[in-house]
Amino acid sequence: MLYRTTLTIDCTDTEQQPDIFKTVRGNAAAWLDSKGYGAEALGSSGQHQLDASTTLDVVGSYSPDGDEIGLRLQFIEQRAQRWTTTLTAVGPDAGGTGLVAIDLECHSAGVLPPSGPPRIIRELVAALPVIDGLAPEADGGWAPVTRLTASPQHIGAGDVDHLLEVLTHQDRRRPVIVAARPHQPSGDWTWRTDKAWGGAAGFASLFLLTDQAAVQAFRREIGPDHWVAPGAVRTYLPGVDPAWAADGYRHRFLTYQRLNDRRDEAWRHIASGVQEHTLDSPVPERLAGLVLLNTSPAPQSPQRRPTPSSTHLNPAEARSEVSRLTTMVSARDEEIARQQRMQLSLQHQLNDANAKLTASEASNDIELAEHIDSLDLLDRANREISRLRVLLMTLGAGNEAYAQQDAEDAPRTFEAVLDRIASLPGVQFTGDRSRTLRLDDTDTRKVPGWARKAWLALQALSSYAEISTGEGFKGNFREFCLRSPRGAVVISGNTVAMVESEDTLNQWANERVLPVPPQVRPEGEILMEAHIKLDVRGSISPRIHFYDDTAGPTGKVLVGLIARHLTISKT
């Protein structure tokens, strides 16, 4: 498979629903015409021989009411290699989205020849309201996360909030490519970015920061680790977290200098990167399970009644022949159905494998970013140790500078975490031990890492409580981690969220009402929005929910929950 993309079509506007099948046929007709073939074959089902080496298969599916519900066009060219272009369309579902898939395959005994994505992808993107998924709205409806367009959407300084919402939206599944107009665009820069847009259309959503005011406004909003410098082009994968510096490494960019250097061919990877991302995505169930058997009550052309001279069968023989042919047709239909069931089963298996691979790659990306973040913290800690050793030696305490201190290993189970939490002076655990201990019986491969992260997070909470009540740190726990006061134990600020979303609180606030001592609240419980993420992928993704009572009667951070992820809209 050289190229594959599945376009999601927005049909939620009941007054202006696009005619997906008419549009696909119209664009396919123009595409065939550009190749020198007539479009007459599109009007009837079956296999059509366009020339000695080219065929077109047209297969449709209809509801019992006669409405078209599926269409597949397969264009096969047998030249030096066998090229197969397949268009598959599915009508809108109950949620209001239709699908159009375009696949390009090349079967070759040798090295595959260079080829760009089929031009019809860009044409369909321009002709249909293609979107990157739907997200629930507060009123119970659905809204597109973002549109996919054949050319970049222009973003001025006043549109930056919209771009930021697209980049950080939890329901976005496709990459986003953002270019920033340079101070003085050159011909090479313009030509190369135009080529990149053309190759990425239908595979990613495209945006252009139109002027320097937009570039600077975007930098102010998204921060220095995720911005796009003038003349640069950046590809944002799903799951952008502007508050996490290390996350910036996941979203690759090309500078103006490289895009403007005629010897540098890296610009070609802008489009190929998003094409590969889409190629690795699982096929939607509605496409994988599509059965196309031409079930339409197609009009039949008049048949001439056989004359006595054109048949030699008597009525009994004719009935026998009809029965034999009917049996053959039934057997053929059953074989087709069996093959389709087998194909569907294999497609489900492939989808499952692709989904696991995608999840694994995403998890690896996150872990790599966290590792980079940890290395940064380690580097800072080592430099601080070196500075303190030099200071001790200048004070005549050289022996103390290099004295070895026995340190207890970090816990590798949540049971061990709970056993040692009382040793942290700034933290008090008020939650249900049994809920925490259940984590030890979940993913045995991940539990040791989760437990170590939990222990470090609890140490950081205790450090925050001690410094807040002692030196009077001004700010919340997340700001504490981002600013890293001298001598403090901190964790990545990315893993800390001080509030929950409005949608989550509207529906599941009760799950976050957790125990506290009676001197904090007479009723013995309080809403704990603040939490620490021990993982960001998977159904378990443990959390630590806490309440900052450093300015209250206990002078501590109260931890009301260490358990698997609580309910949100995605779960």
Side-chain angles (χ1 to χ4, degrees):
M1 185 75 71
L2 292 180
Y3 298 97
R4 184 186 74 200
T5 187
T6 301
L7 309 178
T8 303
I9 315 302
D10 183 11
C11 304
T12 56
D13 187 343
T14 56
E15 295 183 358
Q16 296 183 347
Q17 278 196 3
D19 190 329
I20 296 174
F21 303 110
K22 180 179 179 180
T23 304
V24 168
R25 282 192 174 89
N27 280 267
W31 184 61
L32 288 174
D33 185 63
S34 70
K35 290 177 171 289
Y37 302 108
E40 295 81 8
L42 292 171
S44 59
S45 298
Q47 186 177 83
H48 307 274
Q49 196 73 38
L50 302 182
D51 62 23
S53 59
T54 309
T55 60
L56 174 67
D57 286 345
V58 181
V59 187
S61 185
Y62 297 79
S63 70
D65 296 333
D67 295 328
E68 190 168 22
I69 57 176
L71 171 67
R72 179 169 291 145
L73 309 175
Q74 192 166 71
F75 181 75
I76 303 172
E77 296 175 285
Q78 185 66 58
R79 308 285 191 236
Q81 300 88 18
R82 176 186 170 96
W83 294 84
T84 303
T85 305
T86 306
L87 276 74
T88 307
V90 182
D93 61 2
T97 59
L99 298 174
V100 176
I102 306 100
D103 301 331
L104 175 63
E105 299 175 88
C106 181
H107 302 276
S108 174
V111 178
L112 291 176
S115 171
R119 187 180 72 252
I120 196 170
I121 295 178
R122 298 192 299 275
E123 293 169 351
L124 286 169
V125 169
L128 289 166
V130 182
I131 58 174
D132 182 359
L134 291 174
E137 291 189 304
D139 61 3
W142 296 83
V145 174
T146 184
R147 282 288 301 270
L148 268 66
T149 50
S151 57
Q153 302 175 55
H154 287 195
I155 298 294
D159 306 314
V160 164
D161 286 346
H162 168 68
L163 177 57
L164 189 64
E165 182 180 354
V166 169
L167 291 175
T168 58
H169 203 292
Q170 64 181 8
D171 293 309
R172 178 168 67 87
R173 296 293 177 264
R174 290 179 180 267
V176 172
I177 298 177
V178 179
R181 191 180 298 279
H183 294 286
Q184 294 181 337
S186 68
D188 287 336
W189 185 90
T190 302
W191 184 85
R192 287 182 165 189
T193 51
D194 284 347
K195 285 290 185 181
W197 299 134
F203 299 89
S205 49
L206 316 173
F207 294 91
L208 173 66
L209 296 168
T210 57
D211 52 34
Q212 297 312 303
V215 173
Q216 294 306 318
F218 183 59
R219 178 173 186 172
R220 286 193 301 271
E221 291 299 321
I222 202 167
D225 302 303
H226 290 76
W227 81 306
V228 185
V233 176
R234 192 163 198 167
T235 302
Y236 293 91
L237 299 175
V240 173
D241 190 341
W244 185 17
D247 177 65
Y249 293 104
R250 295 196 304 123
H251 314 292
R252 299 192 61 183
F253 63 89
L254 282 177
T255 63
Y256 173 76
Q257 288 73 22
R258 295 192 67 183
L259 284 166
N260 209 39
D261 185 349
R262 294 187 179 183
R263 298 166 298 176
D264 196 326
E265 295 292 305
W267 67 273
R268 298 183 184 276
H269 299 307
I270 297 172
S272 64
V274 296
Q275 290 161 4
E276 290 174 7
H277 184 277
T278 306
L279 192 62
D280 292 337
S281 301
V283 177
E285 291 291 327
R286 289 165 58 200
L287 282 175
L290 182 63
V291 176
L292 295 169
L293 289 175
N294 279 317
T295 55
S296 67
Q300 300 294 319
S301 58
Q303 301 291 322
R304 287 196 303 174
R305 182 176 294 178
T307 62
S309 61
S310 63
T311 181
H312 302 286
L313 297 177
N314 59 42
E317 290 174 328
R319 285 192 293 271
S320 176
E321 181 67 7
V322 169
S323 177
R324 184 183 70 83
L325 292 174
T326 301
T327 301
M328 289 177 60
V329 170
S330 297
R332 176 68 173 171
D333 285 347
E334 177 57 33
E335 175 62 17
I336 291 174
R338 188 184 68 81
Q339 294 285 353
Q340 288 182 329
R341 287 194 297 271
M342 182 180 296
Q343 180 183 358
L344 180 59
S345 175
L346 292 173
Q347 186 64 61
H348 284 323
Q349 294 177 38
L350 179 60
N351 281 353
D352 288 343
N354 282 337
K356 290 177 181 177
L357 177 62
T358 301
S360 176
E361 289 175 343
S363 179
N364 287 341
D365 286 345
I366 295 295
E367 289 176 3
L368 178 60
E370 288 182 341
H371 180 60
I372 292 171
D373 211 17
S374 297
L375 289 176
D376 288 341
L377 289 172
L378 180 62
D379 180 59
R380 274 189 280 167
N382 285 333
R383 283 188 277 114
E384 181 69 5
I385 289 171
S386 296
R387 188 187 68 82
L388 292 174
R389 280 175 171 169
V390 170
L391 180 61
L392 285 170
M393 293 179 69
T394 59
L395 296 174
N399 291 335
E400 292 295 329
Y402 290 92
Q404 296 296 318
Q405 184 177 11
D406 293 334
E408 192 175 4
D409 290 338
R412 298 190 179 184
T413 65
F414 284 94
E415 183 178 10
V417 169
L418 292 179
D419 288 344
R420 292 169 59 177
I421 199 170
S423 66
L424 300 174
V427 169
Q428 181 177 344
F429 181 66
T430 62
D432 183 345
R433 286 179 57 92
S434 64
R435 294 182 69 177
T436 304
L437 293 175
R438 287 188 204 123
L439 290 171
D440 286 336
D441 299 322
T442 54
D443 192 329
T444 55
R445 297 172 302 168
K446 290 188 174 184
V447 164
W450 288 340
R452 292 172 69 91
K453 287 182 180 180
W455 180 241
L456 179 57
L458 292 167
Q459 287 179 300
L461 287 171
S462 183
S463 177
Y464 164 73
E466 291 182 88
I467 292 177
S468 293
T469 55
E471 303 174 14
F473 177 79
K474 304 299 182 183
N476 61 31
F477 177 63
R478 188 172 188 278
E479 293 168 339
F480 176 83
C481 292
L482 292 173
R483 288 156 59 181
S484 302
R486 181 173 297 179
V489 178
V490 297
I491 57 175
S492 168
N494 167 75
T495 64
V496 183
M498 298 305 298
V499 295
E500 294 279 17
S501 70
E502 183 178 351
D503 180 58
T504 296
L505 291 180
N506 285 340
Q507 299 184 67
W508 300 290
N510 61 308
E511 293 187 18
R512 291 148 176 85
V513 176
L514 299 165
V516 292
Q519 64 265 38
V520 177
R521 284 292 187 276
E523 59 271 27
E525 55 186 16
I526 199 170
L527 176 65
M528 294 190 186
E529 295 185 61
H531 58 275
I532 300 168
K533 310 166 191 175
L534 303 183
D535 201 347
V536 293
R537 301 286 175 180
S539 60
I540 300 173
S541 298
R543 298 289 190 263
I544 298 176
H545 280 257
F546 63 91
Y547 175 72
D548 184 355
D549 192 47
T550 54
T554 68
K556 297 183 178 184
V557 174
L558 306 177
V559 174
L561 180 75
I562 306 175
R564 65 186 302 151
H565 199 304
L566 297 176
T567 308
I568 58 173
S569 58
K570 291 180 69 175
T571 59

